[in-house]
Amino acid sequence: MLPSQTSVLIAGGGPCGLMLANELGRRGIQAILVDEKSSTAFNPQANATQARTMEHFRRLGFADAIRHLGLPGNFPTDIAYSTRYAAHELARFKLPSAQEAVEKIHSLSGSWSAAELPHRVSQKFVEAELRRQAEKLPGISINYGWRMTGFRDLGNSVSVDVECVADGTRQTVEAAYLVGADGPRSLVRERLGLRYGGETGIARDFMGGRMYAIYARVPDFYRTVPHPPAWMNVCFNPERRAFMATVDGKSEFAFHTQLKPHEREEDITDQQAREMFQAAVGLPVEVEILSRGSWTAGHSLVAEHFQKGRVFLGGDAVHLFTPTGGLGYNTAVEDAVNLGWKLAAVIKGTASPRLLDTYEAERRPLGLRNTAYARQFADSLGLFKPASNIEEDSPEGAAEREKAGAYLAAHGRAEFNIPGVTFGGRYDGSPAIVPDGTTPPPDAANEYIPTATPGGRPPHMWLGDGRSLYDMFGFEWTLLCTGPDAGPGGQAFIDEARRRGIDLKVVHVPQAHQIYEADYALIRPDQIVAWRGDSCSSANQVFEQILGMANTDSQAAPTQGTIA
């Protein structure tokens, strides 16, 4: 039996649910997670952990553990475009291996000034590590093989019905809050009566409509294919379009192909699945099918609401992506990061329940933004069709290959070099942000301009001793002092945090003044700049606004004039 009471019940044990369990557990909040699967994912699913997600894993203390998962450390993470994997290579976008990423990170600046670089690892490995980390935490109960069957929001708690899949044992858990991280067919969303909005059923030559996934073991792949290894392999010909990520850098692959109109998923046999794979390779390699099944591309959907009463939604339950750009899983992780500290603050009584309203206010615009970027990448790749003679051994065929190679090389740079998408998400206009009157740089996929304008990721820098600035931040709140006389001036925030029972770490980094352009910056627990200024005299008002405690009818919100 599960515990009969908890602070948060999480329905869904994918990346969003597991990350939320880690965020809550690290803050001493009790949580029960249920998922009807027997364990974390067997299939590879998502394959790219973006740099911002890696920074959050670093904040939680297990980025190195994640970086050692998946591919061998020296395996190249290139994206290779070919007519068929063993035939003509059309273009290659080179990216560093995991080992090279660690070596190069300290020398990067500008758009890629970061504490972490992306890591190419299958979601199945990430989920297993997130589970291991969550199960270490006191008060966290992880329960695969249990499903949520219903709930009732009682106003001051949520009564949640759960059932053991194996033996049908049923019980009711009383929770302060329920979070539905239960995927695109979310029972929580359905019971709340909330719908997706956006576009679906988008038809493309590739990455639109019916797709077929094959998790395969191909021991001779790297001995058969004459090109250097790549993390992502994209095949581009009129007969069989597909993309394929290597899972272990040795013999396992996650293969996804567009189904033709005459191909019915229910009729596909193991032999036909092997032939699909072999058609993409261009040679009759031996293929062992580990799992296979259909899915649908062409979604760009975001739920109309992320919350109703004491019930919240996150991950695929509120946004559904076509996987170009690798944004779905990473957006789900940031949902959990955003919601986790807010639930903890409200449960501990250091914030008003009004703070929870900022979850939807902040995350829904990011869901709309990120699904739009994913659609843009899918259109770029999927609407570009191979010429009928692209595989011909002729001058005309060579010309078509050159043309396609130039296009795909540009596409690769656009889809896989996306610091703006990765780092540039912002919460402008949120009540949990105190604006200072400055305007952030424009949002652009392939360029990120660091800015300390409140509402976005704090500008990063490496310190003289080799540490990341982010490693100086506290796990909860941080007051970053950069002015020459900033130390004593920050006492108002220290006193206010102590009075409120808030964990505030004060960090003095004078060399950061040039990039923060203020003597002080208040960093939220999710590593977002909440406020900045040259005087801390309005510390009370700042916390009142951010934590949802300000009486907007009788108390003026802090302004640039009273803060800066």
Side-chain angles (χ1 to χ4, degrees):
M1 300 292 287
L2 307 187
S4 60
Q5 293 183 320
T6 191
S7 294
V8 181
L9 192 138
I10 304 166
C16 182
L18 287 166
M19 189 67 172
L20 181 58
N22 276 281
E23 293 284 355
L24 294 172
R26 281 290 301 271
R27 294 179 166 89
I29 302 299
Q30 291 185 334
I32 297 172
L33 181 150
V34 296
D35 190 302
E36 66 179 351
K37 299 191 305 295
S38 60
S39 186
T40 52
F42 170 77
N43 291 318
Q45 298 179 305
N47 294 285
T49 300
Q50 304 290 11
R52 183 59 172 158
T53 302
M54 288 298 296
E55 288 181 340
H56 286 305
F57 293 161
R58 184 187 186 106
R59 177 175 53 80
L60 290 168
F62 50 79
D64 287 346
I66 297 288
R67 200 168 286 283
H68 283 94
L69 299 175
L71 308 180
N74 61 354
F75 194 92
T77 61
D78 300 352
I79 296 91
Y81 300 89
S82 309
T83 54
R84 300 177 196 258
Y85 303 142
H88 302 279
E89 185 169 295
L90 302 170
R92 179 176 288 256
F93 183 55
K94 291 184 174 293
L95 287 170
S97 66
Q99 179 179 320
E100 290 169 336
V102 173
E103 294 168 354
K104 291 181 176 181
I105 185 70
H106 290 265
S107 64
L108 299 178
S109 60
S111 287
W112 283 107
S113 176
E116 297 282 345
L117 288 181
H119 182 51
R120 310 307 184 185
V121 56
S122 290
Q123 180 180 320
K124 62 180 291 180
F125 299 128
V126 176
E127 285 189 15
E129 182 62 29
L130 289 176
R131 179 182 183 177
R132 282 192 290 270
Q133 295 292 336
E135 288 179 334
K136 296 177 185 178
L137 301 171
I140 299 299
S141 175
I142 304 295
N143 305 276
Y144 287 87
W146 283 79
R147 65 166 67 97
M148 187 211 73
T149 59
F151 63 88
R152 293 157 300 284
D153 188 338
L154 304 177
N156 57 0
S157 67
V158 185
S159 183
V160 186
D161 301 322
V162 295
E163 180 182 60
C164 178
V165 175
D167 62 15
T169 299
R170 297 181 180 181
Q171 72 175 96
T172 299
V173 177
E174 296 299 321
Y177 297 95
L178 168 65
V179 179
D182 49 344
R185 296 178 178 86
S186 169
L187 178 62
V188 178
R189 188 188 67 246
E190 177 188 316
R191 295 292 174 87
L192 290 176
L194 300 178
R195 297 175 299 174
Y196 281 133
E199 296 180 297
T200 189
I202 300 169
R204 304 183 183 94
D205 189 58
F206 185 49
M207 299 302 287
R210 298 177 310 134
M211 302 283 293
Y212 204 74
I214 302 171
Y215 180 21
R217 184 177 289 120
V218 189
D220 294 330
F221 183 83
Y222 291 115
R223 288 189 290 271
T224 302
V225 172
H227 311 299
W231 158 67
M232 181 65 69
N233 303 270
V234 183
C235 122
F236 188 73
N237 66 73
E239 178 194 0
R240 177 62 61 197
R241 294 195 65 172
F243 72 91
M244 181 180 75
T246 181
V247 174
D248 62 356
K250 300 172 185 176
S251 63
E252 292 186 10
F253 301 90
F255 175 85
H256 300 263
T257 185
Q258 187 81 40
L259 290 178
K260 299 292 185 179
H262 68 278
E263 293 175 322
R264 289 161 34 97
E265 51 265 38
E266 60 269 25
D267 295 336
I268 296 172
T269 64
D270 272 4
Q271 180 56 32
Q272 289 169 323
R274 281 190 284 270
E275 290 170 358
M276 288 179 179
F277 190 101
Q278 291 165 342
V281 176
L283 292 172
V285 292
E286 181 182 343
V287 180
E288 178 187 356
I289 305 295
L290 302 177
S291 68
R292 57 187 178 87
S294 62
W295 59 280
T296 302
H299 297 306
S300 183
L301 298 171
V302 179
E304 55 189 342
H305 290 293
F306 283 30
Q307 173 196 5
K308 193 171 183 179
R310 287 179 168 266
V311 184
F312 297 82
L313 295 164
D316 286 353
V318 281
H319 37 65
L320 199 55
F321 291 72
T322 291
T324 40
L327 301 182
Y329 140 62
N330 293 277
T331 304
V333 167
E334 288 213 76
D335 290 344
V337 171
N338 186 288
L339 183 57
W341 75 269
K342 294 174 180 178
L343 281 171
V346 172
I347 290 167
K348 291 180 176 180
T350 59
S352 162
R354 286 197 295 266
L355 175 63
L356 297 175
D357 295 338
T358 69
Y359 170 64
E360 178 179 316
E362 293 182 348
R363 292 307 299 165
R364 189 170 186 274
L366 265 292
L368 293 168
R369 168 192 185 261
N370 290 355
T371 53
Y373 273 128
R375 175 176 179 169
Q376 176 183 319
F377 300 143
D379 284 345
S380 173
L381 182 64
L383 297 178
F384 181 61
K385 299 182 180 182
S388 59
N389 61 345
I390 194 169
E391 297 185 274
E392 283 184 6
D393 186 15
S394 66
E396 293 78 14
E400 290 295 343
R401 290 191 290 275
E402 183 176 357
K403 176 182 174 182
Y407 181 91
L408 293 169
H411 169 85
R413 290 191 296 272
E415 182 183 351
F416 293 99
N417 180 30
I418 51 173
V421 178
T422 300
F423 300 132
R426 298 189 53 82
Y427 299 147
D428 298 314
S430 166
I433 298 296
V434 181
D436 67 356
T438 59
T439 302
D443 190 14
N446 306 113
E447 182 183 22
Y448 168 68
I449 301 174
T451 177
T453 295
R457 169 182 176 266
H460 178 265
M461 65 182 297
W462 291 101
L463 306 180
D465 59 4
R467 283 183 297 171
S468 162
L469 175 63
Y470 290 179
D471 294 341
M472 301 283 287
F473 292 170
F475 183 71
E476 296 293 354
W477 295 84
T478 302
L479 182 67
L480 176 62
C481 306
T482 70
D485 301 317
Q491 190 63 43
F493 267 106
I494 296 170
D495 293 343
E496 194 61 37
R498 185 181 297 116
R499 183 178 73 82
R500 295 170 178 271
I502 290 172
D503 182 3
L504 175 72
K505 183 178 181 181
V506 180
V507 177
H508 301 269
V509 187
Q511 59 267 44
H513 190 275
Q514 184 175 0
I515 56 174
Y516 279 80
E517 299 178 311
D519 287 354
Y520 304 95
L522 183 65
I523 313 299
R524 295 190 335 188
D526 53 353
Q527 288 190 351
I528 293 292
V529 179
W531 164 90
R532 68 172 171 176
D534 293 322
S535 167
C536 295
S537 60
S538 297
N540 174 54
Q541 291 170 273
V542 170
F543 275 129
E544 287 283 296
Q545 176 174 329
I546 294 171
L547 298 175
M549 293 178 167
N551 183 344
T552 55
D553 294 331
S554 60
Q555 180 176 343
T559 66
Q560 183 182 5
T562 61
I563 296 175

